Amino acid sequence: KDGSGKVEGVPNLTQGDTKGKSLNQLKTIIENGKKGKTDDDEDMPSFKGKLTPEEIDAAAKYVKGL
């Protein structure tokens, strides 16, 4: 619940690459998804068409605030 990625396969959203992203970068990733860095990393799925623009904005703001 704190975004620290304590579940296997879930990245830590409170540090590293994610923490340094701008709000617009986070929105783009949430909307379009993102390929994992290595073959072992899981891809983040796209939420385009699953979330409204307002929900994507809220999700990005939540992640940025972690």
Side-chain angles (χ1 to χ4, degrees), residues 20-44:
K21 300 265 188 257
S22 71
L23 191 59
N24 283 335
Q25 288 172 314
L26 291 172
K27 285 191 233 183
T28 298
I29 292 169
I30 293 167
E31 185 173 15
N32 299 318
K34 184 175 180 185
K35 183 90 172 130
K37 287 184 177 184
T38 68
D39 288 341
D40 292 335
D41 288 342
E42 291 189 34
D43 299 340
M44 179 172 160

Side-chain angles (χ1 to χ4, degrees), residues 51-66:
L51 297 177
T52 66
E54 292 80 15
E55 290 170 325
I56 290 171
D57 187 57
K61 286 178 181 175
Y62 175 78
V63 171
K64 189 69 176 165
L66 293 174

